[in-house]
Amino acid sequence: MNSEKRLRTATPRWLGVAVKALVYLEKHGELCASGSIARSIDCEVTLVRRVLTRLVQAELIAAREGREGGYVLTRSADHITLADIYHAIEIGDPIFPGMMHEPETNPFCGELAIAVSEILAESERRMLEVWKSHTLASLAKRTTLAVGSSSHHEGKDNEASSKRE
């Protein structure tokens, strides 16, 4: 079953969760449990853990298991681009899904769908060019909220979550 979970197709939502989680880790500055990350970015912990798994596999973050476990960036946020994050998540669906239905038997609709798909592919290539020029650090600097780094575990409700990591 774990291999099935690993094969799940990532969606554009996963990309948003990844960006938020990584900015949180950058601002937090130390080892952080998935439960704390999930609460801080207002997301369900199960999805956060799936996304964090992808980021670990891409070596953008490291995971430490156990009661005192958690996640931390593997390198400086100045050396992680938004394009790195995008590639780590490996979105299965296009960024702009559902705009055109699959080509049907109607030749006009089929040709139009191909033309729009080409334009969307070009849009994604250009988006990645821009994303390569922005780092996790530069994105984190655009946010003004401070993230507390007082304690690894913020209370007893975190202990159960941490034990599962």
Side-chain angles (χ1 to χ4, degrees):
M1 188 170 217
N2 285 341
S3 62
E4 285 179 11
K5 286 184 180 181
R6 229 180 286 149
L7 296 175
R8 290 180 193 250
T9 302
T11 65
R13 180 173 180 219
W14 287 40
L15 180 59
V17 171
V19 169
K20 287 186 239 176
L22 288 170
V23 168
Y24 178 79
L25 286 172
E26 160 61 9
K27 287 186 163 276
H28 193 264
E30 60 186 39
L31 197 67
C32 188
S34 60
S36 295
I37 297 169
R39 277 188 302 282
S40 297
I41 66 172
D42 198 24
C43 187
E44 359 17 276
V45 71
T46 303
L47 177 58
V48 168
R49 287 180 179 145
R50 287 181 185 144
V51 169
L52 293 174
T53 296
R54 296 271 175 108
L55 299 175
V56 168
Q57 290 169 345
E59 299 179 353
L60 296 179
I61 61 173
R64 183 184 303 161
E65 294 185 17
R67 184 163 195 243
E68 296 298 318
Y71 299 87
V72 65
L73 296 176
T74 56
R75 58 184 184 250
S76 165
D78 288 320
H79 295 101
I80 299 173
T81 68
L82 297 182
D84 293 332
I85 301 167
Y86 178 86
H87 291 301
I89 295 302
E90 297 176 350
I91 295 174
D93 297 329
I95 289 290
F96 309 102
M99 186 172 167
M100 302 297 287
H101 295 287
E102 291 294 319
E104 299 182 18
T105 56
N106 180 322
F108 171 75
C109 292
E111 285 182 17
L112 186 57
I114 290 169
V116 169
S117 294
E118 291 169 352
I119 292 168
L120 292 176
E122 179 185 352
S123 298
E124 192 166 354
R125 281 192 303 275
R126 289 186 182 188
M127 177 196 76
L128 284 172
E129 287 175 17
V130 172
W131 282 36
K132 285 178 186 175
S133 69
H134 294 278
T135 65
L136 182 60
S138 68
L139 180 60
K141 287 177 187 171
R142 290 180 176 211
T143 63
T144 58
L145 294 176
V147 173
S149 60
S150 58
S151 169
H152 176 68
H153 298 291
E154 298 166 358
K156 291 185 179 184
D157 61 323
N158 281 351
E159 289 181 22
S161 175
S162 296
K163 287 178 184 176
R164 289 189 298 255
E165 293 181 286

